[in-house]
Amino acid sequence: MNIPDDPFFAMLARSLQARAGETLQRSLYSTLKEAVMQGQLQAQSWLPGSRVMAQRLSVSRNTVNAALEQLAMEGYLRRDRRGSRVTTLPQPPQGRDCPEMSAASLSSRLQALPPVLPRDTPPLLFAPGTPAINYFPLPLWRRLLDGVLREEGSRLLGYGDSAGEWPLRVAIARHLALSRGIDCDARQIVITEGALEGVNLCTQLLSEPGQTAWVEEPGYFGAKSAFISAGLRLEGISVDEEGMQIDRDLPTPTLIFTSPSHQYPTGSVLSAARRLALLEYARQHNAWIVEDDYDSEFRFSGEPIPAMRGMASNAPVVYLGTFSKTLFPSLRIGFMVLPPALVESAQPAIRALLRGGHRAEQCALARFIEEGHYTRHLAAMRRLYRKRQSQLHEALAQELTIPHRVMAGEGGLHLTVVIEGIDDVALVRLAHQHQLAPSALSTFYLNRQHARSGLVLGYGNTSASQFATAIRTLQRLIAQLQNG
């Protein structure tokens, strides 16, 4: 048996001293593992016995045996009645660093995803899609959540229904009937992790790779990302003051994604005539409409606009909603309303694709809705956002001197400012350095060559007292880019 001599113990002793912050067992394990990996201990060589190692290193034999057993369990050593022997390991792969390999190994579909800036915590000024989270009634929410945990206890710690907690689905069905004109049964509702998971679920349930999806142009890049990652071919459908326009010359779609009540990012509303025409087109071509009811709860004038889902019986529409904008983003609770014809057939797939989670939060949200807190919170936020939108209009008119046009709509959490001829992507990068996080309008287009440039300014998370200073900063940055 070829037993290493004193240099072996000298190496172990030095390493144990250098790893003084670790336990002796962990230190000995790490030292021996590195020695095997780096070739300092040759393959098939024998280690000294555990008793000898314990004596020479002045540690307990139990410590040595525990380290050797862990190495044997991981495959670095083989142990039997004769002792511990170093395993023959293959050479580690040579070549490029891991980050380069990871980028190269991404599928072509994922490499084609539209660029999205990281979300900042806390959110920076003008970040679109972020509500006034400091206005959320946190003490009330904590009380409801505590009550759920106290009354339901450990029952909520296991997996729940894949489609979501029944009390929340019932509460959402009642709310939709009153606020959105949607008559549906709670069994048609599936709870998701936000609207984006709903889009992903629609692609899995209703489409095949290679089929066509129509998306709004400009439009929500989350939906585009979901469709691209599912292998669908995208066709951008122009949006004007009346919303999405049907283009009969384009390939027939399997899915049609639209945000008819408050288009993102233009703010336009899909007119009644176009809604009915889109519904009829979908029926004739066996297509499914994915209706994202974006910002519909925050309409500042007139009556709420009914959802497309409620305009016709047995409409080929999957309706999506989320509480990320009305309550707070990290809640990660959204929902989809399936047409009656899909409820039964989709159940096996839903059970396979979804796992019930966030059960306590779902039950607390059900109580938040049923006890009237949700309606009151929406009313308060509607007043706040109406005032902020008006103040942002005024600030833009006073502070932004470069030629521009504001695309508004009558609600929502953002204004879109069209500024022709600027590099809005570069502008957004510069703005981020000044704690501002608007979105570049051009990134909402599939066809960047025909994209308009500008900024999408979210005011949900930004106090009106900060508007003027922030817009002056943007004005300065635009001049900086234009002057090179």
Side-chain angles (χ1 to χ4, degrees), residues 341-391:
L342 284 180
V343 172
E344 293 302 323
S345 59
Q347 290 309 308
I350 289 171
R351 285 193 291 269
L353 295 171
L354 301 182
R355 298 291 182 271
H358 306 292
R359 299 187 65 191
E361 289 82 359
Q362 288 189 36
C363 290
L365 179 55
R367 296 185 183 190
F368 192 81
I369 297 172
E370 294 285 25
E371 294 178 10
H373 307 301
Y374 186 56
T375 300
R376 287 189 289 274
H377 181 67
L378 287 177
M381 292 299 96
R382 200 174 291 119
R383 291 191 295 270
L384 174 68
Y385 297 145
R386 179 191 296 115
K387 184 176 181 181
R388 284 188 177 175
Q389 190 195 72
S390 175
Q391 292 169 317

Side-chain angles (χ1 to χ4, degrees), residues 97-289:
D97 293 336
C98 288
E100 295 180 7
M101 290 179 64
S102 297
S105 62
L106 287 178
S107 72
S108 58
R109 296 198 308 274
L110 296 185
Q111 292 182 45
L113 294 179
V116 180
L117 290 174
R119 297 187 184 274
D120 301 280
T121 302
L124 302 183
L125 304 186
F126 287 150
T130 305
I133 51 180
N134 56 319
Y135 280 78
F136 181 72
L138 201 54
L140 169 62
W141 178 255
R142 187 165 52 243
R143 178 174 62 79
L144 292 173
L145 194 57
D146 287 345
V148 166
L149 292 171
R150 186 171 55 251
E151 296 170 24
E152 301 291 338
S154 59
R155 186 187 72 82
L156 296 178
L157 301 183
Y159 288 111
D161 190 325
S162 298
E165 295 300 299
W166 183 252
L168 179 57
R169 295 159 69 190
V170 170
I172 290 173
R174 290 174 180 163
H175 174 75
L176 291 177
L178 294 172
S179 67
R180 306 299 299 127
I182 296 176
D183 182 17
C184 67
D185 187 277
R187 289 173 294 181
Q188 295 172 243
I189 294 175
V190 178
I191 305 301
T192 62
E193 284 207 13
L196 184 55
E197 186 180 58
V199 180
N200 280 313
L201 195 56
C202 285
T203 63
Q204 292 170 305
L205 291 174
L206 304 174
S207 69
E208 299 288 347
Q211 292 180 329
T212 298
W214 283 5
V215 294
E216 296 167 325
E217 181 81 337
Y220 173 45
F221 38 69
K224 296 173 186 175
S225 296
F227 294 152
I228 290 172
S229 63
L232 300 183
R233 294 178 299 181
L234 301 192
E235 294 289 348
I237 310 299
S238 298
V239 171
D240 62 14
E241 291 77 8
E242 291 187 58
M244 190 180 205
Q245 307 176 67
I246 296 179
D247 192 334
R248 300 179 185 276
D249 295 329
L250 289 176
T252 302
T254 298
L255 297 178
I256 302 171
F257 181 88
T258 182
S259 48
S261 296
H262 187 250
Q263 202 275 332
Y264 185 61
T266 68
S268 63
V269 175
L270 190 62
S271 66
R274 288 191 184 177
R275 288 175 183 233
L276 293 172
L278 193 60
L279 286 168
E280 183 58 27
Y281 178 91
R283 277 196 172 123
Q284 290 177 359
H285 294 84
N286 294 318
W288 291 99
I289 297 172

Side-chain angles (χ1 to χ4, degrees), residues 300 385-400 404-411 414-417 457 459 467 471:
F300 305 148
Y385 297 145
R386 179 191 296 115
K387 184 176 181 181
R388 284 188 177 175
Q389 190 195 72
S390 175
Q391 292 169 317
L392 182 54
H393 269 294
E394 294 174 5
L396 286 166
Q398 294 172 5
E399 304 294 342
L400 192 61
H404 66 278
R405 183 169 71 90
V406 178
M407 302 169 70
E410 297 297 331
H414 73 276
L415 291 179
T416 295
V417 183
L457 304 176
Y459 52 79
F467 287 166
I471 293 171

